[in-house]
Amino acid sequence: MAELDLPDHEYLTVRELAELLRLKERKVYDLAASGAVPCSRATGKLLFPANEIRTWIARAQSGGGDGQGKLSKPRSPIVLGSHDPLLDWAIRQSGCGLATLHDGSNDGLERFTTGEGIAAGLHILDAATNLWNVPAVSKAASRQNAVLVRFAVRRRGLVVRTGGQVPDSLGDLEGFRLVPRQAGSGTDTLLRHLAEREGLDLGALDLAEVARTEDEAVEAVRRGAADTTFGLEAVARSYGLDFVPVIDEEFALLVDRKAWFEPPFQALMTFCASDAFQARAEAYGGYDIEGFGAVQWNA
């Protein structure tokens, strides 16, 4: 393919790209539908980012990928990252067929950037800016054909056994046995940031066995393996435990653009717009799903 001179604006229309590549417009639609060419539907119509089109053309010229701009290894239909009970329930209830691999926000973000899954659930607070998810994603996933969308705001705090001693805040955890989360998880990172702000020495606390999901951490408190954990209100309520609110966090989904338009993820998104999803969020408690699906970052 000879070197092409792209129009001097940020996005190309279907007609412009078809003329540029000397293809019929129908072929351009087919390329977009298959994910072979980078595109955006944020405005309700197909637009093609000029910078990404340049990269796509260069990759095809150099023999990278399969000559159509596709990754040499397709992403597996897996949702990575942080565990969220509402998202987990929606994946099952929607019948979308997606699998899950929950091992923390940072693990999910790293796996996503290497092409291991189609989406990652994240709740990563940037201590320098006090912003959620966007700083981490813009740094790690700037070269991904991906979008970050809002899922929900979740209330997080101290989950405590009913009838036991209840701390007033994070600063009062001395003397309590705590269920920690795995290093690198969004919860562990957030707890360390807040503990430092409160002057709490986490290293001096009595720690139980590490839990790798929200349910596992709270269940450990319920069965008496520990006094408390830094968990979600929704899970505390599900297990009938007391809850001390600490912070409202933003949980978002980083999604591969190609996978976004394919049937499995569309089935999930359609279900998440349903009355059943809203009713479940209200029943759980501790969730604010207003603005679900709003774009927070676009690669």
Side-chain angles (χ1 to χ4, degrees):
M1 183 182 292
E3 184 174 348
L4 300 174
D5 186 20
L6 274 70
D8 187 23
H9 43 262
E10 188 174 358
Y11 289 94
L12 308 180
T13 64
V14 171
R15 176 175 295 179
E16 287 174 331
L17 187 58
E19 291 175 352
L20 187 70
L21 301 178
R22 296 183 176 87
L23 298 173
K24 293 183 179 180
E25 291 185 21
R26 180 67 264 166
K27 179 60 177 177
V28 172
Y29 280 111
D30 290 343
L31 289 171
S34 70
V37 63
C39 69
S40 170
R41 297 177 188 259
T43 61
K45 62 180 181 180
L46 279 176
L47 293 174
F48 303 89
N51 286 338
E52 293 185 33
I53 291 297
R54 290 188 181 93
T55 301
W56 177 73
I57 292 172
R59 185 161 56 237
Q61 289 175 324
S62 64
D66 64 358
Q68 298 185 61
K70 293 183 180 179
L71 292 171
S72 57
K73 178 182 177 182
R75 290 180 179 271
S76 299
I78 300 174
V79 178
L80 307 161
S82 178
H83 173 241
D84 179 78
L86 182 60
L87 174 61
D88 219 15
W89 175 82
I91 288 172
R92 296 193 306 270
Q93 202 71 12
S94 66
C96 64
L98 294 173
T100 57
L101 176 58
H102 300 309
D103 204 15
S105 293
N106 289 294
D107 177 82
L109 180 56
E110 182 178 352
R111 288 178 183 273
F112 182 88
T113 60
T114 59
E116 290 190 40
I118 66 161
L122 309 173
H123 62 116
I124 304 174
L125 179 65
D126 180 66
T129 62
N130 211 36
L131 296 176
W132 291 95
N133 301 313
V134 172
V137 168
S138 60
K139 180 180 180 180
S142 61
R143 297 186 179 181
Q144 303 291 312
N145 186 24
V147 61
L148 182 75
V149 297
R150 176 187 170 108
F151 184 80
V153 173
R154 314 186 300 186
R155 188 165 299 117
R156 184 175 292 280
L158 297 172
V159 181
V160 186
R161 280 184 291 163
T162 302
Q165 187 179 359
V166 178
D168 293 328
S169 66
L170 281 178
D172 293 330
L173 281 182
E174 186 176 350
F176 286 82
R177 183 170 171 81
L178 174 78
V179 181
R181 295 293 303 280
Q182 68 271 37
S185 66
T187 302
D188 179 69
T189 303
L190 177 60
L191 177 59
R192 292 182 182 281
H193 167 65
L194 296 178
E196 183 178 359
R197 192 174 71 182
E198 293 284 331
L200 173 67
D201 182 7
L202 291 176
L205 296 182
D206 181 18
L207 300 180
E209 185 178 347
V210 170
R212 307 194 79 86
T213 69
E214 299 291 346
D215 284 301
E216 185 182 343
V218 173
E219 199 277 331
V221 175
R222 184 199 62 79
R223 59 183 164 83
D227 303 307
T228 185
T229 192
F230 190 46
L232 295 175
E233 179 182 1
V235 186
R237 290 175 56 164
S238 295
Y239 282 86
L241 301 180
D242 289 339
F243 179 78
V244 179
V246 172
I247 191 170
D248 287 350
E249 62 180 22
E250 295 183 19
F251 187 81
L253 292 174
L254 179 63
V255 187
D256 174 69
R257 277 204 192 95
K258 177 180 181 294
W260 178 280
F261 297 106
E262 293 183 341
F265 200 80
Q266 279 298 300
L268 176 60
M269 290 296 98
T270 298
F271 180 78
C272 289
S274 68
D275 291 340
F277 179 78
Q278 181 173 346
R280 186 71 172 202
E282 292 173 356
Y284 267 135
Y287 281 101
D288 178 1
I289 60 171
E290 184 177 353
F292 169 84
V295 175
Q296 298 180 319
W297 175 86
N298 219 332

